[in-house]
Amino acid sequence: MSSTLLSRRDLAFLLHDWLDVTRLTERPRYAEHSRETFDDVLDLAARVAAEHFAPHNRAADSAEPTFDGRRVHTIPQVKAALDVFAQTGLLAASLDESIGGMQLPHVVSAACFAWFQAANVGTAAYPFLTLGNANLLLNHGSAEQIDTWVRPMVEGRFFGTMCLSEPQAGSSLADIATRAEPQDDGTYRLAGTKMWISGGDHELAENIVHLVLARIPGGPPGVKGISLFIVPKVLLDADGALGPRNDVVLVGLNHKMGYRGTTNTLLNFGEGVHRPYGRAGAVGYLVGQPHQGLAQMFHMMNEARIGVGAGATALGYTGYLKAVGYARQRPQGRPVADKDPTTPQVPIVAHPDVRRMLLAQKSYVEGALALILYCGRLLDEEKTAPAEADRARAHLLLDMLTPIAKSWPSQWCLAANDLAIQVHGGYGYTRDYDVEQHWRDNRLNPIHEGTHGIQALDLLGRKATMQGGAGLALLLETIGATVGRAWKAEGEAAELAAQLGAAVDRIGVVTRRLWATGDPELALANASVYLEAVGHVVIAWMWLEQLLVVEAAGAPDGPDVDFLAGKRQAARYFFRHELPRTGPQFDLLESLDRTTLDTRETWF
Amino acid sequence: MSSTLLSRRDLAFLLHDWLDVTRLTERPRYAEHSRETFDDVLDLAARVAAEHFAPHNRAADSAEPTFDGRRVHTIPQVKAALDVFAQTGLLAASLDESIGGMQLPHVVSAACFAWFQAANVGTAAYPFLTLGNANLLLNHGSAEQIDTWVRPMVEGRFFGTMCLSEPQAGSSLADIATRAEPQDDGTYRLAGTKMWISGGDHELAENIVHLVLARIPGGPPGVKGISLFIVPKVLLDADGALGPRNDVVLVGLNHKMGYRGTTNTLLNFGEGVHRPYGRAGAVGYLVGQPHQGLAQMFHMMNEARIGVGAGATALGYTGYLKAVGYARQRPQGRPVADKDPTTPQVPIVAHPDVRRMLLAQKSYVEGALALILYCGRLLDEEKTAPAEADRARAHLLLDMLTPIAKSWPSQWCLAANDLAIQVHGGYGYTRDYDVEQHWRDNRLNPIHEGTHGIQALDLLGRKATMQGGAGLALLLETIGATVGRAWKAEGEAAELAAQLGAAVDRIGVVTRRLWATGDPELALANASVYLEAVGHVVIAWMWLEQLLVVEAAGAPDGPDVDFLAGKRQAARYFFRHELPRTGPQFDLLESLDRTTLDTRETWF
């Protein structure tokens, strides 16, 4: 039976036929691997996700975690699933063997993790956050910190969080107020309140390793005075055994519309409820140097942002597959041409409007998955390309694509979930079907890890201008290379290449025009429109890439005929129905529209 | 304090400054009324909605109705609110005085009811359905049926439902299978199963009057063999007192994502659980003639469709007002130009991207409200215009606009709710704020009373071609008249008129081109795109109409300066950011795109 989580065939197409991930095994880091080990680990992920994560997805939504004032209670299936996950070793799929990892390429690891996000994004959030935390410490922590905190995370005994937001500082990290007072023994004592902390408290692991942004008194104001600290829920004895409770207190759980399986918490640090070693204050350990917290956290945040895009994609993908399944089996109505009410009803997939909704979903979720895996491949390139210049290029391109990889799937795979509900009709609006939960869960993604608006400012305000515009130039040149190859290919690809080439040109023109104003406020006034337009061009590029693979495959036999025809049709759909949306967006940007800028708040 | 449900000022603008509803009092039907009585009843609606409906909106969502196998349990606030509502007499606001109504214009009545939909769409659904039911019986029932069933509904003692869908026949009414066997006494006995029946069972009223579509054996197949029946939950004695239970059984409640305050039921008719007068079978009374059920029901359905659009608008509107309130009081970040982290944070309404999200919402919800009230005004025109030709024109135009009035607000006021969540950030994703519920509630509207796809087929397949295209010609001519007036006006209106005129021309060209194919399947393949494009043009028209009122107002003083500037800015926003979306849609339609049509189901 084919899965309703992700498509194994599509993953094979993207990973092997397109991204040729097996060639990575030519590099020393991945030399122990082969196509077989890649496929085995994908099979493992698919099986564990289906058997241990998917079955309690609805239950975790219906019975969200509760807090009795002392402990957080979670339905038992969550811990059971996470224990199995830990046994698979998949948390450390991409990590070094030296720390107990599998040393798989990031692109393969991302594909593995997408199965868990599709199956149960709420339960999958715990390892997601833990891996982000571990990665940050692996990059910025001391050897001792890695040994003390990362190893137990890799083993599944400790979980991790990232504690950035405060009630008065969500999008504005410059306003973080949590204080970290240095102590004589080199540790710090933290005091402050952190908001929206996912996985901030629970009984699912022996310990929780919080990574906390805070200010060391006397440092500069704003983001330049933020430092990063390890603040465990439970302190460790000298021999690494669990010791006294740290002064970190759960104030309450947030009650969300979706993503309800993941605890989301308000935490107080240093309130004095626990008094480790006889004194109030949450014991923290500085990571790296003082005042480097934002840069360090951004390292994790960039991966987290792509991970958010991956989660959005996975939710869109499973919704799409369920909509296809429903449309094939639900009889309703007759073709337009059939006026005879006594003929049997047809499955709704026979209706063009239903096929439109399915094709739209397909073009969104497969386009988004291609982008997510492409970013994973870039990460591998950044880490392991033999030539330094290639590593630098991959880094720059990934930096450029990150706000898009975060925001495009968050917007359009949410739209896919909306269409999945619509295909299900009234049934899709009930809690007897999965799609309404996917839609609710997915609605978080345009908000957390930097809102849509923040991603837009990042893309146009920072990424498009960094290094004198080198990142943007590289993106346009890379898309241009695909356009060039498509030009040379015979058939439909050349047609679509012309359309994509024109869109790429518009990005260049519009970006120059916006910044030529010399007025950042005006340039950035419609940053969200810019983000959406560029995002659509990038996904069109992903589809042209896929079409080139299809055309190179020639005329295959068997089930591949349908698979490849579907890819071709989705590419067509995206170029005919979606890419043209960018025309008016570029027009608006080119007009230097001041509508939002000129609106006074008293006019609402 | 200004309301967070709807804007009294906007209603005054639309009803008085634009639609000039007081002129209706020149007609005999409304002669007893005046601007004062209109305003009084609007104030009454606003107050009762705020005091009795809004306070339990969240509670009714959290504690949805339950069924213990015998009775349905609902939180007590629902019945309390509905009892107050009944006392106001607002259910019968637009009905004849002879039946106990207020004989108010429909446009005023629609504005009144929107307050309740904004406050609590779940509780408001009970009178909404009851009024639709009463209206249908007033039009098609016998004098005795009106006396027996409508009077108690007007008094608030009986509630009504409409029972169309069956498990195997949702969008496809041709496949209705419920049977109605004629009896010797002129009554019928019904047997069958009805699905998705809102308000299908509860203890909120003394009785429930179901209007049921069923087949009399021997009639023609398909929609031509459907008849309409009154099937009460409780039968009445000869003197009108409650008698034995009819054979209508609640099988179960549907558990929805939103709209949770309204029971939504699966009902069995004629199962034999109750045996009225000693025999199984649900007693039903034929309304009008046999086999006329679909036409009769469509009468109610058309009003219900506009009512769905009104509900979607009301939900979008209240979400918008709450987003404005939040954006004004929530401090976060600083203007782009301010790099000093020690200056105080600004309210988020100061950020252009937040203003963009508020302006977008404003343009959607105020544009939708204008359309809903315009349709209400057309209904008054259809019913009371002195000249028969004007009545016919109003009827035709309303027919044309109905699928748009249903679907546009369902799509775009849902989008407004999405933006309201986004403005609230993480808080908007929690159940501590209203906006997430509005979004969930609003998601039903593109599904019930005919899905988006059904409305699209109705608009392009039926309405655009009816009477040889006379409906479409009238719509385009009516919009053209506004364009003509705007041409003559000085200032910005003339500019926007050119843009709207061009869009109107494209509707004409595209419609002709689609039907010139002679291939209904091809013509209708992209009916949803057509619906969305025409919908945007219609809302642009609504904004140009409003702009003309603003320009006619000249340069006012006081608070009206801001109000009118806001209207102007929202009109601008719609013409600059929204109307241009239709360009690629018309291009696609003109290309006679076959993408969805040519997609095989094996390609998904």
Side-chain angles (χ1 to χ4, degrees), chain A residues 192-345:
Chain A
T193 300
K194 291 289 178 179
M195 183 62 170
W196 307 124
I197 309 310
S198 286
D201 205 357
H202 52 70
E203 307 284 324
L204 303 168
E206 296 172 22
N207 202 356
I208 302 174
V209 183
H210 302 292
L211 285 177
V212 182
L213 291 184
R215 294 186 182 286
I216 301 169
V223 294
K224 291 177 182 163
I226 297 174
S227 304
L228 181 67
F229 299 88
I230 297 166
V231 184
K233 175 179 175 180
V234 182
L235 295 163
L236 301 185
D237 290 344
D239 59 359
L242 296 176
R245 267 299 296 267
N246 202 355
D247 195 7
V248 183
V249 176
L250 175 63
V251 182
L253 299 175
N254 294 309
H255 299 289
K256 294 165 293 167
M257 166 170 58
Y259 246 95
R260 291 171 65 163
T262 313
T263 57
N264 187 276
T265 61
L266 180 65
L267 296 178
N268 269 355
F269 292 79
E271 209 185 26
V273 171
H274 302 288
R275 302 175 64 85
Y277 314 124
R279 289 187 41 222
V283 176
Y285 312 105
L286 181 67
V287 178
Q289 295 302 307
H291 314 320
Q292 300 300 312
L294 197 75
Q296 294 162 339
M297 190 61 97
F298 255 104
H299 179 273
M300 166 164 156
M301 212 144 54
N302 277 335
E303 289 185 24
R305 284 176 174 180
I306 297 172
V308 166
T313 302
L315 286 170
Y317 212 117
T318 184
Y320 160 64
L321 294 176
K322 287 163 187 167
V324 169
Y326 185 82
R328 284 191 175 135
Q329 60 81 10
R330 167 74 175 168
Q332 192 78 180
R334 291 165 192 82
V336 165
D338 182 355
K339 304 287 185 202
D340 179 359
T342 64
T343 57
Q345 299 195 73

Side-chain angles (χ1 to χ4, degrees), chain A residues 305 308-310 312-313 360-372 401-416 442 445-446 452 455 530-540 542-543 574 578-579 581-582 585:
Chain A
R305 284 176 174 180
V308 166
T313 302
Q361 289 173 69
K362 183 178 170 75
S363 80
Y364 301 158
V365 305
E366 295 182 9
L369 184 60
L371 177 61
I372 293 300
L401 286 172
T402 297
I404 297 165
K406 194 273 179 183
S407 63
W408 198 92
S410 298
Q411 180 174 9
W412 292 96
C413 295
L414 176 64
N442 221 345
N445 288 317
H452 204 67
Q455 303 303 320
Y530 183 86
L531 175 71
E532 291 177 21
V534 176
H536 251 51
V537 175
V538 164
I539 299 297
M542 292 292 108
W543 274 113
F574 201 85
E578 294 292 332
L579 184 57
R581 289 183 200 264
T582 60
Q585 292 173 322

Side-chain angles (χ1 to χ4, degrees), chain A residues 64 167-172 175 195-196 221-222 255-260 320 324 328 330 332-334 336 341-342 345 349 352-353 355-356 358-359 362 414 418 421-422 425-427 429-431 436 439-441 443-444 446-447 451-453 520 524-526 528 562 565-566 569 573 576-577 580 584 588 593 595-599 601-604, chain B residues 64 167-172 175 195-196 221-222 255-260 320 324 328 330 332-334 336 341-342 345 349 352-353 355-356 358-359 362 414 418 421-422 425-427 429-431 436 439-441 443-444 446-447 451-453 520 524-526 528 562 565-566 569 573 576-577 580 584 588 593 595-599 601-604:
Chain A
E64 65 184 345
Q168 83 295 348
S171 294
S172 179
D175 294 283
M195 183 62 170
W196 307 124
H255 299 289
K256 294 165 293 167
M257 166 170 58
Y259 246 95
R260 291 171 65 163
Y320 160 64
V324 169
R328 284 191 175 135
R330 167 74 175 168
Q332 192 78 180
R334 291 165 192 82
V336 165
T342 64
Q345 299 195 73
V349 72
D353 195 56
R355 292 207 294 273
R356 176 187 65 82
L358 295 175
L359 256 185
K362 183 178 170 75
L414 176 64
D418 177 84
I421 292 173
Q422 196 68 18
Y427 292 97
Y429 193 67
T430 68
R431 307 200 296 281
E436 66 86 23
W439 191 62
R440 285 187 290 111
D441 287 349
R443 184 61 187 81
L444 181 58
I447 298 173
T451 63
H452 204 67
L524 295 171
N526 294 302
S528 287
D562 282 333
Q569 199 70 353
Y573 178 87
R576 292 179 186 172
H577 287 241
L588 182 87
D593 179 65
T595 313
T596 56
L597 213 51
D598 290 345
T599 303
E601 69 166 281
T602 50
W603 292 356
F604 293 115
Chain B
E64 65 183 346
Q168 82 296 347
S171 293
S172 178
D175 293 284
M195 183 63 168
W196 307 123
H255 299 289
K256 294 165 293 167
M257 167 169 57
Y259 247 93
R260 292 170 65 163
Y320 160 64
V324 169
R328 284 192 175 135
R330 168 73 175 168
Q332 193 77 178
R334 290 165 194 81
V336 165
T342 64
Q345 298 196 72
V349 71
D353 194 56
R355 292 207 295 272
R356 175 187 66 83
L358 295 176
L359 257 184
K362 182 178 170 76
L414 176 64
D418 177 84
I421 292 173
Q422 195 68 17
Y427 292 96
Y429 193 67
T430 68
R431 307 201 296 281
E436 67 86 22
W439 191 61
R440 285 187 290 111
D441 286 349
R443 184 61 187 82
L444 180 58
I447 298 173
T451 63
H452 204 66
L524 294 171
N526 294 302
S528 288
D562 281 334
Q569 199 70 353
Y573 177 88
R576 293 179 186 172
H577 288 241
L588 182 87
D593 180 66
T595 314
T596 56
L597 213 52
D598 290 346
T599 303
E601 70 166 279
T602 50
W603 292 356
F604 293 114

